[in-house]
Amino acid sequence: MDTTTRPGSAVGATRSGAVPALLAAPHLVDVAAPGMEGLARWLAGAGADVTGSVRADVACSPVVAALEAAGVRVHVGFDPAHVGAERSAVVWSSAVAAPHPELDRARAVHLPVLGRAAALRAITADAGAVTVAVGGSHSTTTAAAALAAVLDDGHTGWILNTPAIGGVAGHAAGHRIVADFCPDTTTHEAAPPYAWQHHPAPHLPNLEPRFTAALITSTNANAPHYEDRVAGLDAGERLARRADTVVLPAWDASMANLHERLTHRPGPDLVTVGTDAASTVRIIHLARNGTGFHAVLRHRAEGHTFDLPVAGRHHALAVCAAIATALVIGEDPQAVAQRATAFPGARRSLTVLGEEGGVRVVDSRARHPREIAQDVQAAKTLTEGSLVVALTPDGLARAGAHAAELGDALADADRVLLLPVDTPLTHHTLPDPLDGIERAARRRLVPAAVHRLRTGRNAARPEQRIGALVDTGDMVLVVGTGSAEQLGPRLLTHLAQPGMATPQQP
């Protein structure tokens, strides 16, 4: 494997934020992964000497090129030699499911090893109480990206799991930071017993940052992070009690328990945003228009109008929650309106990839069953033809724990193709979660509408199988992460071939 350092620009010399000493010269494992990319970009922009490593198959990707241009020195391959004594710490995404040569090397030479969440806590604790946090058991992507956009006054940076379309995941500017604390950055699996992940970490500081505000989107179960609703609720409360102001969306049923825990007790100022009259920030109008949604929000007896160029009512509500957060911390409503109008949505959040042969292809990075259900419901309203959903479930741990919910989430589709579960594990003895997902989907749809991709030497590729399920005028919603990210472009190429825009094959 090539373990040489790829050429890159010099480390950024302009210090635009507070970098804790622990992260002055970090090495980031799998630096191009979701969540890690934004962290690396912010650190490099704030003046840290950042190195990172990537898999060989992504070495020539646009993400790596952008990281290098931002001043991150990227190594190809995972090798102990990449972890030198000059590094201040090694940061990983908490998604590694097996012993890892670079992380094992860091332990051997007694370097601090931090998960991404610990690195975020260190940064925001060092920054002081000027951080605006976004958290929840899931569904933070659009809200966090929108909040970064509406607060982008030239003096605000951000560290996101997923950036806005055409934007960047990390940016250092001034001392205010928007940080997405959702743990759902990439495919997580359970670590094997006695792996290095279970060793104590005496180097890690016990940091409890304070936040100007925290927007919390959900407190549901989300395996493997939160095994049940109580675990998700406890995590939401811990985040809330670090903030001066907490914003809770009233439309998420899981917020009721968190609201009850925080009401009439010492702690943060509590703000609700929703369509009901009791909401602190009330959405008095939200309707589709030609480019997305038109919204009117009332705050402190004043109405403010916003045009939101995003697809799907649930994504528009997430932007409204971000706008409400900006308003309650004192941001100028006119400036917020201008920035919200320019926010195009988060990457792979009902993003239209293109149309070929009369078939439109839309991309979704949804992982959690609720996210998938909402994207499927929204996509159904965007087509007059049939909706074909191609689902790549995320991780054996999640797919196994939420199999029935994942199948139920597909209820509004007309036809479904289930693809193999995306997982970094190469050897395991777990039962295939697709069996449970398929059973649940067949209960919600007619059995003939649910299909499963078969594997083998002569099996059809996913794009070929989808091509056999579509008619002219249909929409294909590609859902998933990992391998699913390349499926949409491959499908468009396949549909562009002569003869692909034909009636559905039996």
Side-chain angles (χ1 to χ4, degrees), residues 85-480:
E86 78 284 359
R87 297 293 95 198
S88 60
V90 174
V91 183
W92 64 300
S93 70
S94 302
V96 179
H100 193 285
E102 293 181 355
L103 298 168
D104 290 341
R105 170 65 177 171
R107 291 288 193 203
V109 298
H110 305 292
L111 278 176
V113 176
L114 291 78
R116 177 185 178 275
L120 272 183
R121 288 198 303 272
I123 290 170
T124 52
D126 208 62
V130 291
T131 299
V132 182
V134 182
S137 54
H138 60 82
S139 301
T140 64
T141 293
T142 297
L147 192 50
V150 300
L151 294 180
D152 186 11
D153 56 358
H155 304 286
T156 299
W158 54 83
I159 305 173
L160 305 176
N161 293 340
T162 302
I165 297 171
V168 296
H171 173 65
H175 293 285
R176 184 165 66 179
I177 302 172
V178 176
D180 187 347
F181 279 85
C182 184
D184 218 358
T185 57
T186 189
T187 301
H188 292 69
E189 303 288 17
Y194 310 113
W196 66 267
Q197 294 98 318
H198 297 286
H199 295 174
H203 297 287
L204 300 186
N206 183 20
L207 297 173
E208 293 294 337
R210 293 293 305 174
F211 308 128
T212 297
L215 167 58
I216 301 177
T217 62
S218 58
T219 59
N220 292 302
N222 187 5
H225 311 292
Y226 309 116
E227 66 276 10
D228 55 29
R229 291 185 178 182
V230 174
L233 180 60
D234 289 344
E237 183 179 5
R238 287 193 297 270
L239 179 64
R241 293 199 177 280
R242 295 179 187 149
D244 296 327
T245 300
V246 175
V247 179
L248 303 180
W251 55 82
D252 190 296
S254 69
M255 292 294 98
N257 287 339
L258 182 57
H259 189 280
E260 184 177 6
R261 285 193 180 189
L262 298 174
T263 302
H264 304 309
R265 291 177 174 85
D269 293 333
L270 192 57
V271 171
T272 57
V273 52
T275 57
D276 58 290
S279 296
T280 313
V281 180
R282 186 182 179 188
I283 304 171
I284 57 178
H285 177 77
L286 182 64
R288 290 177 60 182
N289 58 20
T291 59
F293 286 81
H294 180 73
V296 181
L297 275 67
R298 178 175 293 160
H299 176 238
R300 293 180 177 172
E302 292 187 19
H304 306 287
T305 301
F306 305 90
D307 289 310
L308 313 177
V310 296
R313 182 179 175 84
H314 61 299
H315 289 303
L317 285 170
V319 179
C320 287
I323 290 171
T325 305
L327 294 177
V328 298
I329 64 175
E331 203 72 10
D332 177 56
Q334 185 174 355
V336 170
Q338 292 174 346
R339 297 166 193 158
T341 300
F343 174 66
R347 184 186 299 169
R348 300 193 68 232
S349 294
L350 290 183
T351 303
V352 177
L353 298 181
E355 182 173 326
E356 291 288 352
V359 177
R360 181 182 295 184
V361 179
V362 178
D363 215 9
S364 165
R365 67 176 306 278
R367 301 170 182 270
H368 189 272
R370 180 172 173 79
E371 296 173 338
I372 294 170
Q374 290 175 326
D375 272 7
V376 171
Q377 291 164 6
K380 183 66 175 176
T381 68
L382 300 177
T383 180
E384 295 181 358
S386 295
L387 175 63
V388 179
V389 177
L391 171 65
T392 300
D394 176 62
L396 295 168
R398 168 174 294 153
H402 297 290
E405 297 166 87
L406 288 168
D408 290 342
L410 304 172
D412 287 310
D414 294 294
R415 292 183 289 278
V416 170
L417 177 64
L418 299 176
L419 284 78
V421 176
D422 188 71
T423 177
L425 299 179
T426 55
H427 303 288
H428 63 85
T429 58
L430 298 173
D432 192 342
L434 279 181
D435 294 337
I437 298 173
E438 182 178 10
R439 285 194 297 270
R442 287 180 180 275
R443 287 195 296 267
R444 300 301 300 268
L445 298 153
V446 295
V450 181
H451 306 265
R452 189 160 163 177
L453 185 72
R454 302 301 173 185
T455 58
R457 176 180 295 181
N458 298 318
R461 297 191 303 272
E463 59 269 27
Q464 294 174 320
R465 193 71 183 89
I466 297 170
L469 294 174
V470 296
D471 292 333
T472 299
D474 289 350
M475 175 183 286
V476 177
L477 178 65
V478 177
V479 182

Side-chain angles (χ1 to χ4, degrees), residues 3-4 27 51 53 75-84 86-87 102:
T3 59
T4 59
H27 176 77
T51 66
S53 54
H75 300 284
V76 180
F78 301 125
D79 190 284
H82 299 158
V83 183
E86 78 284 359
R87 297 293 95 198
E102 293 181 355

